[in-house]
């Protein structure tokens, strides 16, 4: 193993862009299907993995929504989240902000309460047993109506303390940020952090990124790589100090390119880029694989790798004191490696 790889793997990290439903590994999918008496259209884990053959966002989303059909009970959501947090902990993730898609479950007749209680129980358990801290971000499905998103926001209010922010995901085509202007204004009033997906190489991408900043007032941008096509937009992102949660292996699965050089350019321009895993069970890479692939493809220096990690802690939605404490763990690691 190269020294750089070992440095990345042992580094204390924060992950800011991971969909809990996208961490559902084939083995667990089979276990849950068996437990819930659901028949899957695959005979084996290998056959299921072989079907993960995406070339764009819709072809990925089809598998993603189909896959989560095995999640039915509170225990299922708990097992799913425990599996992710255990794997993240093994990769030295010390803090994660985890997306979940409640509408993808409520439309199937699963109660909101079932979903969030299962996830929350796993978070509490993992924090106590493994010491990994995490917070939840509720995403609205942008291919559903703004009214449905607003109803979901209202459903979330009894659990306000369990959710740190709201996001927007699913199929971007024809579903611009401004479609959800009122929902995000209400979320802002309720005190949620705001973020939105601006997926890679989507139609009208720079227009959408501008809308997230100017019309929605996001605190962060998920993906957002296409901002690089527009210098004025990059300048605005730098000036506002907005972080971008880039997911290189996801980019490779969906667009054919890791966009690793784009990550380097962002860093060189002073944009607060971070590297994350998105849907690791589908794209076959957790945070370490994403960081290693990006470092190797773009020839990132150790300082640039550390900058990516520092950016993630800084852009997190933790209280200032906790943010400082976790960042301190990263800084002590970097110093210890410089001496070694
Ligand atoms: N839902 C899960 N992963 C997603 C992604 N990368 N883009 C949009 N919606 C998603
Ligand atoms: Zn995503």
């Amino acid at each position: 193993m190269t020294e750089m790889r070992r440095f990345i793997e042992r580094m204390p990290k924060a992950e800011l862009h991971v969909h809990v439903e996208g961490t559902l590994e084939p083995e667990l999918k089979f276990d849950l299907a068996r437990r819930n008496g659901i028949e899957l259209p695959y005979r084996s884990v290998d056959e299921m993995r072989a079907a993960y053959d995406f070339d764009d966002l819709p072809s990925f989303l089809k598998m993603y929504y189909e896959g989560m059909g095995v999640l039915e009970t509170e225990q299922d959501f708990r097992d799913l989240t425990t599996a992710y947090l255990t794997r993240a902990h093994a990769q030295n993730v010390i803090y994660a902000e985890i997306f979940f898609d409640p509408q993808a479950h409520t439309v199937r007749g699963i109660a909101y309460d079932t979903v969030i209680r299962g996830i929350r129980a796993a978070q509490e358990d993992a924090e106590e047993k493994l010491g990994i801290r995490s917070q939840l971000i509720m995403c609205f499905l942008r291919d559903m109506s703004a009214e449905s998103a607003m109803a979901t926001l209202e459903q979330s209010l009894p659990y306000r303390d369990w959710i740190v922010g709201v996001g927007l995901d699913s199929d971007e085509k024809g579903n611009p940020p401004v479609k959800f202007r009122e929902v995000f204004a209400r979320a802002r009033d309720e005190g949620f952090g705001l973020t939105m997906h601006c997926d890679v190489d989507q139609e009208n991408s720079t227009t959408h990124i501008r809308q997230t900043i100017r019309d929605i007032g996001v605190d962060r941008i998920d993906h957002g790589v296409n901002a690089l096509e527009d210098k004025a937009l990059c300048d605005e992102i730098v000036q506002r100090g907005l972080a971008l949660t880039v997911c290189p292996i996801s980019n490779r699965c969906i667009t054919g390119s890791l966009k690793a050089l784009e990550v380097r350019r962002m860093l060189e321009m002073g944009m607060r880029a971070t590297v994350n895993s998105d849907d690791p069970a589908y794209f076959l890479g957790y945070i370490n694989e994403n960081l290693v692939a990006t470092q190797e493809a773009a020839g990132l220096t150790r300082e640039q790798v550390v900058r990516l990690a520092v950016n993630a802690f800084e852009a997190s939605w933790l209280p200032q004191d906790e943010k400082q404490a976790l960042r301190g763990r990263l800084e002590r690691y970097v110093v210890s490696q410089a001496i070694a």
Side-chain angles (χ1 to χ4, degrees):
M1 193 194 306
T2 66
E3 206 174 308
M4 178 64 92
R5 189 184 189 124
R6 196 154 70 206
F7 177 80
I8 289 171
E9 290 181 353
R10 292 182 177 181
M11 179 169 66
K13 289 169 285 278
E15 167 137 79
L16 303 181
H17 185 154
V18 58
H19 301 262
V20 75
E21 297 90 348
T23 71
L24 178 53
E25 292 285 347
E27 291 80 2
L28 182 58
K29 211 185 276 183
F30 271 102
D31 287 349
L32 297 183
R34 208 170 300 120
R35 190 154 93 188
N36 293 326
I38 295 167
E39 191 151 344
L40 293 173
Y42 310 101
R43 275 167 307 178
S44 67
V45 161
D46 288 344
E47 203 178 295
M48 187 184 288
R49 279 220 174 87
Y52 289 178
D53 184 21
F54 328 110
D55 49 13
D56 57 14
L57 186 57
S59 59
F60 158 68
L61 289 171
K62 184 171 176 296
M63 296 297 292
Y64 170 79
Y65 290 123
E66 184 185 296
M68 67 177 82
V70 300
L71 297 164
E72 291 189 339
T73 67
E74 190 174 317
Q75 188 66 44
D76 297 341
F77 287 94
R78 185 172 183 164
D79 291 346
L80 171 69
T81 310
T82 296
Y84 164 67
L85 288 168
T86 304
R87 253 184 119 139
H89 171 69
Q91 291 208 347
N92 293 310
V93 171
I94 58 174
Y95 175 66
E97 283 176 10
I98 306 171
F99 293 131
F100 74 119
D101 285 338
Q103 289 159 293
H105 310 299
T106 53
V107 293
R108 300 185 289 117
I110 313 293
Y112 189 99
D113 186 72
T114 299
V115 177
I116 197 161
R117 281 189 191 281
I119 297 173
R120 176 73 185 182
Q123 288 180 272
E124 288 177 355
D125 219 34
E127 185 160 347
E128 189 190 316
K129 297 200 176 107
L130 305 174
I132 179 169
R133 177 93 163 87
S134 63
Q135 298 197 91
L136 266 187
I137 301 175
M138 175 173 73
C139 281
F140 305 112
L141 302 187
R142 69 199 305 161
D143 41 5
M144 293 182 71
S145 67
E147 291 72 27
S148 173
M150 190 64 96
T152 304
L153 180 61
E154 279 165 7
Q155 255 179 326
S156 78
L157 295 179
Y159 311 93
R160 176 66 194 83
D161 293 349
W162 290 358
I163 303 170
V164 71
V166 299
L168 186 69
D169 64 2
S170 206
D171 198 354
E172 189 166 335
K173 191 163 189 246
N175 297 300
V178 290
K179 174 176 167 186
F180 298 92
R181 198 196 299 260
E182 286 78 24
V183 181
F184 276 71
R186 172 82 193 278
R188 160 85 67 217
D189 289 345
E190 297 289 348
F192 290 104
L194 306 185
T195 186
M196 282 185 164
H197 277 55
C198 293
D199 262 288
V200 180
D201 296 351
Q202 290 290 301
E203 232 173 66
N204 306 318
S205 189
T206 54
T207 303
H208 288 188
I209 295 170
R210 254 202 191 82
Q211 285 180 8
T212 66
I213 300 172
R214 303 244 180 110
D215 298 291
I216 308 296
V218 290
D219 302 297
R220 226 159 59 198
I221 299 169
D222 296 316
H223 298 292
V225 174
N226 294 80
L228 288 169
E229 294 161 11
D230 184 327
K231 174 76 169 62
L233 186 53
C234 292
D235 291 345
E236 187 163 351
I237 288 170
V238 170
Q239 185 256 321
R240 291 177 185 253
L242 290 173
L244 301 108
T245 63
V246 184
C247 306
I249 295 178
S250 162
N251 295 342
R252 186 171 61 198
C253 291
I254 294 212
T255 71
S257 165
L258 273 178
K259 311 282 182 189
L261 293 173
E262 285 80 349
V263 170
R264 197 175 84 188
R265 265 184 66 207
M266 285 181 184
L267 293 175
E268 287 166 355
M269 292 171 77
M271 294 163 86
R272 299 169 75 197
T274 67
V275 163
N276 309 269
S277 70
D278 208 3
D279 300 285
Y282 289 91
F283 301 141
L284 312 185
Y286 285 77
I287 193 166
N288 282 348
E289 290 79 18
N290 274 276
L291 279 164
V292 168
T294 309
Q295 186 279 323
E296 288 177 353
L300 298 183
T301 63
R302 189 186 274 215
E303 287 66 33
Q304 286 172 319
V305 168
V306 172
R307 173 46 55 192
L308 288 169
V310 169
N311 286 347
F313 286 109
E314 280 186 351
S316 73
W317 290 334
L318 279 167
Q320 203 54 36
D321 56 336
E322 277 191 80
K323 196 185 282 195
Q324 278 309 113
L326 295 186
R327 205 185 139 169
R329 285 172 64 181
L330 169 62
E331 278 159 10
R332 283 192 293 282
Y333 170 78
V334 172
V335 168
S336 77
Q337 295 303 298
I339 296 163

